[in-house]
Structure formats: structure tokens, C-alpha cells
């Protein structure tokens, strides 16, 4: 069976018409030479000679063969023999996904296992990622471009529950093998401090979480009175100044995630002005993220308010088209607080449960042998032999062309007697 | 004198007698000697016999006698017309007529032109005849006589003949008829006329001149010199063929024309063979890629064995 790596090049077979046309129609330049016996030479009409037949069928055949060989070589044919198929099946291309998430109990062990997996492969790619799903997507892309060989994806992880599931593996082709190698066991219990919350019940509260096989336990501890709200400035019409202050306190009473005071915000209600602050392009990452969050805010959507965002001398400016005395002013300010200081949620890395070995074993499958139909990306061809043939034929054609004008068809013997 | 190649100190003896190689050697005397040495080895009889005549007696004039044999001095003294009669001797008088027209300046694929080959042939014949002690002369011609060396014997004459031969170069159109007529006029008595040419001048006048030469008793040998290219027409593509004498240009396709050409050239060669046979003329066709000594030896051997004279 022949596979063509560049089948589009076969369109070049139309080029074989070139030599035929040249032989049939092209008027070669007639060279002039002295010849004393012209009285015996019959003059021929050049056009009639051209159209009658090709002048040299052997040479034409050679030229056709050269063009054909070159075109076929450009199409990069690959003869898929049983022997070649067996050679390909004897090798494995392997994508090794190494879980680098913080939950991994022993990164060194994972590295060592990855080295072992890549060492025996024909081609291999190590993919370090904290997100196994992302690693699977990258592995799928790479392995699709692997040369003909059996293909396999190896995942080295602690396999926290939720890190991966059967659906995550579904996009991999059916012939791609899957192996899941567990790299050590995590601790029986994990704990973490979460983002503190200011102003809830008039104080600062520090939440913490403890996760073990039994479940998750959260603990809130009072920790002082919390930071001020100096990072949030409200600008409103002078008549609404008191209302603006009330709205600010009301919004803060829900609790404000503690954060960096460098993120300063100006909220401008109707009647308020930025003053001399210079407008600038929103470039800081936190401002972009806050703008996105405001755009998607459920609070604003429910209130039917659209705010505009801009940068003003290093501050995030948020202009709301309502007065500070409006009942929705608190919703605007609350949305701004959550957008600028997003609350951290508990990391899935705290999970202590892992996917059972039996489940991992059920997901495992061996790489399927290659078939004539599905060879993957072919990276070699037999075109070089056709190129060599074309070169040899070119040499023969040159030799024949030089010899043609000097070879008599019949050698008449001199009659010396 | 027959020189053994193994004892000849001349490096020429070590050369194969390839016409092209011999033509590259400027010394025509040396080359012709080499060819003759190679040619006559093995020939135990002289290939040429003469028709010279000695005065024998007078007889009364009869109508029809050639007036040139009338002894006018005796007529003045005796008032009677007598004709001189001669008796034949074996002395040979040879006149070589060499075609030096432009058509002879063609080599084809051979390393030597037809003229170069014909010149070597003429020199070798002159050498051979002179070595026999006979007289040899030379006429070179194209549209007119280019050079004339009367028939004489002797080494000095041979040398001057060869010098004249080496100084001749081909060019011009062919007028073989007038050259032959002139040559016949120059031959004082019955002898040997050797014509070396490509014979492309096929005019009736040429035929008449040869017929006349034969009828008045000359032995005539025609060496028809051709290249193999002229026999084969080796072209396969479209080619413009220019006649070196007439300047006529023929555009043809070699592959398409080769069949008719070979028929035509075969008919041409056959015409000359028949024509010469009709008048008792020895016709020898030689191709320039044939070693000269081999061609010459084959002809002379046949001549000796066949008793031609």
C-alpha cells in the first residue's frame, strides 16, 4: 500500500504534458552546418515536421519518465509494507503528563517516574502542569503529530479526587493508550487560611478550613476591627454627600475581603466630578480584572445599572449613572468592592481524597497497534529513491541528447574495391 | 626499399595509420613514404605498368592518321607525308588530378577532411609511382587549375610535387570537366590518369572527358573520396545544411529526410560505378574513416592479382 505525504503534488503530473507538447509543437532552432551533398537532401517543411510526430520517441520517453519521477518524488510516497508496519508497531510515542500542583506529596518522585517513562520511548514529551485537564489537551495535540508508532499518554499524579475524571480522558483517540501512575500518597488532613473579611459585624474575621477524609471544617475567628475604607472614595453631588457615605457603610457591612490598599478606587455618582485627575488608559491587570468583574456583576445586572470604567492617575474610576441617594447606590458600591477585592475560595488542592486504584485501573488501556488506515503523522517517505531515479534518468537523457546528433542509424561500409 | 617498422627509428612508424593522426603531421613526404611502405609490403609485382613509346619506323600517311604524328621535317625534305610509328615501352606516365574544391573541405565526424585524405592519397600514389622509377605529375583544380606539375621522374621532382601538394588548400566551386580536359592535353602520351575527387560535379562534360580519356588509350582510375557522414546523413533534428560551394541552404529534418537521402546517395554512387565500368575505368570508393594504407593496399592487391594495367 502506498501512502502519499503530499498528495497535492500529484497534480504536478499534468507537467508530463510539457515534454509532449515540446516534442510535438516546439520549433527547435535549426542549427546551420556545412554539408557538401545538399543536392541529395530533401527539404522538409518545418511545420509539417513538427506536427507529424515527436522527433525522438526514446528521448521523449526519457523526459516523461524524468518529470513523472520528480512529481512522484515531490508527492512523497511511502510504501507501507508489513515489515515497515511491524517496525512502527515496535516503538511507542509517549506523552508524559506530570502533575505539578501544590498537592503533590513528592515532586522528586514524580520527576523520577517521568524520566523512567520517557527513557524507553521512541519519541516522548514531558508536560508539567498543575492542571491535568490542560495537560491532557496538550498531550492530545502533541501525540497527534507523533510519527508512526503506537501512542500512549502517561499521567503521573497523586490523583486527588476531582483532578481528573473519565470525561477528561474521552477526547483522546481510541488507539491512544492511557496509563495512570500514582506518585505517592498525600496527607490525611490539610488545612489553609482563607481571605480575611473586614467590617462584617463591625470587625475583621479570619476564616480557616480543615479538610480530611471525613469532610471540610471551616472556622471563623474575630481578629480586630479591620482596615479602613480609605482605598474607596465616593464622589457625588454635594447634596448627596451624606447619602453617599451611608451607602458606603451599608455596602461595607456585608464584609469586605481584606486586600492590598494599593488598589484605589473612585466611584462617581451622578453630580460628582473627577476634578483635576487625568484620565488614562486602563492598563493595570487588577483594573482590567475589576472591569471584567463589574461587567459580569449580578448585582449591577439585577439593578439594571451599567457603569463606565476608566483610569484616573493610578486609580480605578467607576462612573455610575445614578445619584448617590438612589437605593441602588449600595449595590454599585458593593459590586465595586467585590470586583476590586475578590474573595479567595478554598483551593481544590486541599482535597485529601484520591481516586481509587480500581477506578484508575478501569481507565487504563494499552496503545493499539497501527493499522494501514491510521498511521498518524508520516515523517518519512520513499521520495528520495525517486529523486535518485530522476537524477539518473536526467544523466541518461543528457547522454542520449548529446549522442543523438552523432549516431548514424546505418553504417554503410566503404567499397574500397 | 621496404623498411621494417621494427627497425625504423622514425616515431612515425609507431603511429597507427589513422587518417586523422597522419593528417596532423605536416611532412607530406614522410607521411606518404610511411603509407607507401605499409602499402606495398607483400606486393611482389609493381602495380602500375606504363605505356610509353619509342620511335620504331615511318610509314606512308593514311587518311585518319593523327596529324601530330606526321614528320613535317621529312615532308619538307622529301615532299612526302610520313607518319611516325612507335613501339610501346613499359615506362609509366601518370598524372594525378586532385579535386581541391570547397566541397572537399569537409570532415564530417572524421578527424580529417576529404581534401586532407585525398592529398595523402595523391602523395602516396606519387610516392609509389616515383619509387618505381616512373614519371608522375599533379594537377589540382577547383573551378580552374590551381597548380600543375608535369609528369617527371626523380626524387627532386617528387619532392617539389609534394611541396606543391602541401601548399594547396581547398576552395571554390568544382569544374571537373575543364580540369580533366586540360589534364588530358597535358599528358603527352598514353598514360595513367588518376582522378581523386568527391565527384559531386556530375555534368555531362565530366563524363565526356572521362570517356575521351578512356578512348584515347589512357588508363583512368577514379578515387571517389567521401566521408561517412555523406553516406549516412547523421543528423536527427531540424538542421540547415549549407552547400560549401553554392551556398545553397536546405532546411530539413534529419530523421525525416534520412531515408530519401540514403536512396539518393546510393543511386549517385551506383551511377558513378556504372559509368566507370562502362568506360573501363577503375572506380575506387574510399571513406575518410578508413585507414589509408588499408584502402590503398586492398585496391593495389586486387589490381596486381587481377592483372590490371
Amino acid at each position: 500500500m502506498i501512502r502519499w505525504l503530499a498528495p497535492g503534488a500529484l497534480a504536478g503530473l499534468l507537467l508530463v504534458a510539457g515534454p509532449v507538447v515540446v516534442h510535438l509543437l516546439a520549433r527547435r532552432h535549426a542549427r546551420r552546418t556545412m554539408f557538401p551533398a545538399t543536392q541529395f537532401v530533401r527539404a522538409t517543411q518545418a511545420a509539417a515536421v513538427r506536427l507529424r510526430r515527436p522527433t525522438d520517441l526514446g528521448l521523449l520517453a526519457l523526459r516523461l519518465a524524468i518529470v513523472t519521477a520528480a512529481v512522484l518524488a515531490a508527492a512523497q510516497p511511502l510504501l507501507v509494507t508489513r515489515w515497515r508496519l511491524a517496525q512502527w508497531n515496535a516503538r511507542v510515542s509517549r506523552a508524559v503528563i506530570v502533575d505539578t500542583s501544590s498537592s503533590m506529596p513528592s515532586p522528586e518522585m514524580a520527576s523520577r517516574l517521568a524520566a523512567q517513562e520517557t527513557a524507553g520511548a521512541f519519541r516522548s514529551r514531558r508536560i508539567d502542569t498543575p492542571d491535568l485537564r490542560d495537560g491532557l489537551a496538550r498531550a492530545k495535540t502533541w501525540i497527534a503529530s507523533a510519527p508512526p508508532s503506537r501512542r500512549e499518554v502517561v499521567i503521573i499524579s497523586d490523583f486527588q479526587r476531582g483532578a481528573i475524571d473519565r470525561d477528561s480522558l474521552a477526547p483522546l483517540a481510541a488507539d491512544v493508550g492511557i496509563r495512570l501512575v500514582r506518585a505517592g500518597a498525600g496527607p490525611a488532613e490539610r488545612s489553609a487560611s482563607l481571605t480575611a473579611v473586614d467590617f462584617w459585624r463591625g470587625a475583621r474575621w479570619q476564616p480557616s478550613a480543615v479538610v480530611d477524609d471525613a469532610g471540610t471544617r471551616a472556622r471563623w475567628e474575630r481578629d480586630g476591627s479591620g482596615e479602613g475604607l480609605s482605598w474607596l472614595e465616593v464622589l457625588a453631588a454635594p447634596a448627596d454627600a451624606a447619602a453617599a457615605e451611608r451607602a458606603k457603610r451599608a455596602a461595607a457591612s456585608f464584609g469586605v475581603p481584606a486586600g492590598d490598599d494599593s488598589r484605589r478606587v473612585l466611584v462617581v455618582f451622578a453630580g460628582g466630578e473627577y476634578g483635576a485627575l487625568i484620565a488614562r488608559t486602563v492598563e493595570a491587570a487588577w483594573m482590567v480584572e475589576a472591569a471584567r468583574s463589574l461587567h459580569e456583576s449580578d448585582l449591577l445586572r439585577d439593578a439594571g445599572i451599567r457603569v463606565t470604567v476608566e483610569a484616573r492617575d493610578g486609580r480605578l474610576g467607576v462612573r455610575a449613572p445614578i445619584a448617590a441617594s438612589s437605593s441602588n447606590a449600595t449595590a454599585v458600591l458593593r459590586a465595586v468592592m467585590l470586583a476590586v477585592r475578590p474573595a479567595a475560595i478554598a483551593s481544590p488542592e486541599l482535597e485529601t481524597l484520591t481516586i481509587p486504584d480500581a477506578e484508575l485501573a478501569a481507565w487504563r488501556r494499552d496503545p493499539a497497534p497501527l493499522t494501514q488506515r491510521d498511521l498518524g503523522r508520516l515523517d518519512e517517505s520513499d521520495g528520495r529513491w525517486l529523486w535518485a531515479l530522476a537524477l539518473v534518468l536526467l544523466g541518461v537523457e543528457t547522454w542520449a541528447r548529446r549522442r543523438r546528433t552523432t549516431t548514424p542509424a546505418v553504417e554503410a561500409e566503404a567499397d574500397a574495391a | 626499399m621496404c623498411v621494417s617498422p621494427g627497425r625504423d627509428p622514425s616515431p612515425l612508424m609507431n603511429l597507427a595509420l589513422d587518417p586523422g593522426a597522419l593528417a596532423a603531421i605536416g611532412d607530406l613526404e614522410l607521411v606518404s613514404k610511411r603509407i607507401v611502405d605499409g602499402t606495398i609490403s607483400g606486393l611482389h609485382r609493381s602495380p602500375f605498368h606504363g605505356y610509353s613509346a619509342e620511335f620504331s619506323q615511318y610509314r606512308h600517311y593514311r587518311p585518319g592518321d593523327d596529324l601530330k604524328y606526321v614528320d613535317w621535317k621529312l615532308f619538307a625534305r622529301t615532299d612526302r607525308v610520313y607518319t611516325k610509328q612507335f613501339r610501346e615501352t613499359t615506362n609509366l606516365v601518370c598524372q594525378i588530378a586532385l579535386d581541391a574544391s570547397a566541397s572537399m573541405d569537409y570532415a564530417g565526424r572524421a578527424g580529417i577532411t576529404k581534401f586532407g585524405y585525398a592529398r595523402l592519397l595523391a602523395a602516396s600514389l606519387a610516392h609509389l609511382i616515383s619509387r618505381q622509377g616512373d614519371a608522375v605529375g599533379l594537377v589540382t583544380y577547383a573551378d580552374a587549375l590551381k597548380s600543375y606539375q608535369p609528369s617527371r621522374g626523380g626524387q627532386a621532382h617528387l619532392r617539389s610535387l609534394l611541396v606543391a601538394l602541401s601548399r594547396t588548400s581547398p576552395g571554390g566551386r568544382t569544374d571537373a570537366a575543364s580540369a580533366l580536359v586540360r589534364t588530358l592535353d597535358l599528358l603527352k602520351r598514353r598514360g595513367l590518369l588518376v582522378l581523386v575527387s568527391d565527384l559531386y560535379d556530375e555534368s555531362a562534360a565530366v563524363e565526356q572527358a572521362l570517356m575521351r580519356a578512356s578512348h584515347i588509350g589512357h588508363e583512368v582510375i577514379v578515387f571517389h573520396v567521401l566521408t561517412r557522414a555523406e553516406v549516412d546523413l547523421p543528423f536527427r533534428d531540424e538542421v540547415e545544411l549549407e552547400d560549401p560551394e553554392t551556398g545553397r541552404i536546405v532546411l530539413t529534418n534529419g530523421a525525416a529526410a534520412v531515408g530519401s537521402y540514403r536512396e539518393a546517395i546510393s543511386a549517385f554512387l551506383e551511377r558513378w560505378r556504372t559509368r566507370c565500368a562502362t568506360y573501363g575505368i577503375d572506380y575506387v570508393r574510399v571513406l575518410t574513416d578508413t585507414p589509408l594504407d588499408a584502402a590503398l593496399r586492398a585496391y593495389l592487391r586486387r589490381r596486381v592479382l587481377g592483372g590490371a594495367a
Side-chain angles (χ1 to χ4, degrees):
Chain A
M1 181 181 176
I2 294 182
R3 296 287 293 267
W4 302 93
L5 275 59
L10 290 174
L13 283 173
L14 294 174
L15 293 175
V16 299
V20 177
V21 170
V22 167
H23 274 250
L24 283 173
L25 299 177
R27 179 172 188 166
R28 281 190 293 275
H29 177 68
R31 61 192 172 88
R32 180 172 294 184
T33 185
M34 288 290 177
F35 193 68
T38 54
Q39 65 264 43
F40 306 121
V41 178
R42 181 168 56 87
T44 54
Q45 291 298 319
V49 170
R50 290 202 312 272
L51 293 173
R52 190 170 60 248
R53 63 182 176 80
T55 53
D56 193 322
L57 288 175
L59 208 55
L60 173 60
L62 265 177
R63 287 169 178 164
L64 290 177
I66 291 168
V67 173
T68 304
V71 169
L72 294 182
Q76 300 185 54
L78 180 66
L79 193 61
V80 182
T81 61
R82 293 179 64 183
W83 176 84
R84 192 169 251 166
L85 207 55
Q87 292 285 106
W88 290 340
N89 272 319
R91 60 196 196 187
V92 177
S93 294
R94 185 172 291 145
V96 180
I97 302 170
V98 180
D99 188 351
T100 57
S101 64
S102 58
S103 67
M104 283 291 285
S106 174
E108 297 78 14
M109 182 182 184
S111 265
R112 195 168 58 253
L113 288 170
Q116 289 174 4
E117 294 294 344
T118 56
F122 163 64
R123 295 280 165 81
S124 64
R125 168 67 61 88
R126 174 172 164 164
I127 300 169
D128 289 352
T129 176
D131 182 354
L132 293 185
R133 290 179 177 82
D134 168 65
L136 277 168
R138 289 158 62 188
K140 179 189 172 191
T141 303
W142 177 81
I143 212 156
S145 66
S149 56
R150 288 185 299 142
R151 297 172 293 171
E152 185 180 46
V153 172
V154 176
I155 304 172
I156 299 172
S157 173
D158 57 354
F159 296 111
Q160 283 178 300
R161 187 172 289 279
I164 193 172
D165 53 28
R166 183 181 290 275
D167 291 342
S168 308
L169 302 172
L172 293 177
D175 63 317
V176 176
I178 298 172
R179 263 192 310 123
L180 304 122
V181 179
R182 195 185 297 279
E189 180 183 284
R190 285 194 178 97
S191 62
S193 292
L194 305 178
T195 306
V197 175
D198 292 335
F199 306 117
W200 181 54
R201 294 185 180 178
R204 162 169 282 201
W205 295 84
Q206 176 63 55
S208 62
V210 177
V211 180
D212 57 19
D213 291 353
T216 303
R217 299 185 300 279
R219 181 188 181 91
W220 290 79
E221 293 180 354
R222 185 169 181 149
D223 184 19
S225 59
E227 299 174 0
L229 281 173
S230 58
W231 55 273
L232 177 64
E233 189 175 351
V234 180
L235 301 175
D240 295 336
E245 191 58 31
R246 285 197 299 273
K248 184 176 174 182
R249 284 202 303 273
S253 67
F254 290 99
V256 180
D260 193 347
D261 263 1
S262 62
R263 299 181 177 187
R264 305 186 69 189
V265 183
L266 285 169
V267 179
V268 183
F269 288 103
E273 293 297 336
Y274 284 119
L277 296 175
I278 300 171
R280 299 186 187 280
T281 308
V282 174
E283 287 180 342
W286 71 269
M287 290 187 188
V288 175
E289 185 61 28
R292 185 191 64 78
S293 180
L294 284 170
H295 179 70
E296 298 174 352
S297 169
D298 293 336
L299 284 171
L300 295 180
R301 187 182 304 113
D302 292 345
I305 298 171
R306 292 183 64 84
V307 297
T308 55
V309 175
E310 56 191 309
R312 288 276 173 172
D313 270 351
R315 301 182 192 181
L316 177 69
V318 180
R319 183 185 289 276
I322 59 172
S325 56
S326 165
S327 60
N328 286 328
T330 302
V332 170
L333 291 172
R334 181 66 189 162
V336 169
M337 288 173 182
L338 293 178
V340 174
R341 293 192 166 187
I345 55 175
S347 168
E349 295 300 317
L350 294 175
E351 181 60 78
T352 56
L353 286 176
T354 59
I355 302 170
D357 288 342
E359 196 167 354
L360 294 179
W363 295 347
R364 174 185 173 140
R365 67 183 183 224
D366 290 329
L370 289 175
T371 62
Q372 292 273 11
R373 285 188 172 183
D374 185 15
L375 297 175
R377 190 181 64 84
L378 300 172
D379 64 341
E380 58 182 318
S381 84
D382 297 321
R384 60 189 182 279
W385 303 111
L386 287 169
W387 284 122
L389 175 64
L391 284 175
V392 169
L393 289 175
L394 194 61
V396 173
E397 190 266 350
T398 304
W399 171 80
R401 184 157 37 83
R402 288 178 179 167
R403 188 172 181 271
R404 187 182 51 169
T405 54
T406 58
T407 304
V410 178
E411 292 287 338
E413 289 299 323
D415 184 3
Chain B
M1 184 179 68
C2 182
V3 180
S4 165
R7 286 178 290 170
D8 194 319
S10 166
L12 188 64
M13 284 306 206
N14 295 325
L15 283 174
L17 289 175
D18 170 62
L22 290 176
I25 301 170
D27 192 334
L28 203 54
E29 183 179 359
L30 191 63
V31 173
S32 61
K33 177 179 181 301
R34 170 70 182 95
I35 293 171
V36 169
D37 286 344
T39 301
I40 64 173
S41 60
L43 294 179
H44 301 293
R45 290 172 54 195
S46 173
F48 298 109
H49 299 281
Y51 285 89
S52 186
E54 283 181 1
F55 175 73
S56 173
Q57 62 181 350
Y58 289 109
R59 69 168 171 80
H60 286 288
Y61 174 79
R62 287 190 295 235
D65 284 351
D66 193 339
L67 288 178
K68 74 180 179 181
Y69 296 119
V70 171
D71 192 331
W72 298 107
K73 290 180 181 176
L74 191 61
F75 171 70
R77 287 201 302 271
T78 64
D79 206 19
R80 290 179 182 172
V81 181
Y82 288 97
T83 302
K84 288 186 281 190
Q85 287 192 315
F86 299 88
R87 124 180 113 78
E88 288 182 351
T89 69
T90 57
N91 288 332
L92 173 68
V93 177
C94 174
Q95 193 69 37
I96 300 172
L98 174 62
D99 183 355
S101 63
S103 68
M104 294 289 284
D105 192 19
Y106 179 71
R109 285 180 292 113
I112 185 172
T113 63
K114 287 189 288 185
F115 181 76
Y117 194 91
R119 179 161 59 184
L120 279 177
L121 177 62
S124 302
L125 289 171
H127 209 112
L128 184 61
I129 291 166
S130 182
R131 180 180 288 193
Q132 288 182 187
D134 294 321
V136 61
L138 173 72
V139 167
T140 60
Y141 69 92
D143 47 358
L145 285 191
K146 285 191 169 183
S147 66
Y148 167 61
Q149 295 284 321
S151 303
R152 289 193 191 120
Q155 193 64 25
H157 173 68
L158 174 65
R159 193 160 294 131
S160 67
L161 184 149
L162 295 178
V163 168
L165 196 54
S166 63
R167 286 177 179 169
T168 305
S169 58
R173 302 183 67 158
T174 313
D175 185 2
S178 60
L180 284 173
V181 169
R182 182 87 173 104
T183 306
L184 289 174
D185 291 343
L186 292 170
L187 271 173
K188 302 292 187 197
R189 51 177 170 151
R190 272 207 298 168
L192 175 63
L193 172 63
V194 178
L195 174 63
V196 185
S197 171
D198 54 14
L199 300 176
Y200 283 134
D201 183 1
E202 264 195 298
S203 62
V206 175
E207 187 171 351
Q208 284 178 0
L210 289 173
M211 182 176 67
R212 180 187 160 203
S214 181
H215 284 177
I216 62 178
H218 292 304
E219 182 187 1
V220 183
I221 304 173
V222 172
F223 282 95
H224 195 171
V225 181
L226 291 169
T227 64
R228 191 168 293 280
E230 288 167 289
V231 176
D232 291 335
L233 190 70
F235 310 107
R236 293 294 174 268
D237 289 329
E238 286 184 16
V239 62
E240 286 182 344
L241 301 176
E242 181 177 355
D243 192 302
E245 291 191 15
T246 64
R248 172 176 175 249
I249 294 173
V250 179
L251 173 62
T252 190
N253 181 287
V258 66
S260 63
Y261 175 83
R262 286 181 182 165
E263 287 179 11
I265 198 81
S266 297
F268 164 71
L269 297 175
E270 190 54 34
R271 278 199 302 277
W272 270 111
R273 188 205 297 272
T274 307
R275 192 175 288 146
C276 291
T278 302
Y279 302 123
I281 295 171
D282 268 5
Y283 173 76
V284 186
R285 191 192 312 156
V286 285
L287 297 184
T288 56
D289 59 355
T290 308
L292 184 51
D293 62 332
L296 204 51
R297 189 189 307 121
Y299 168 66
L300 295 180
R301 189 180 297 277
R302 188 174 72 96
R303 181 181 173 87
V304 168
L305 295 177

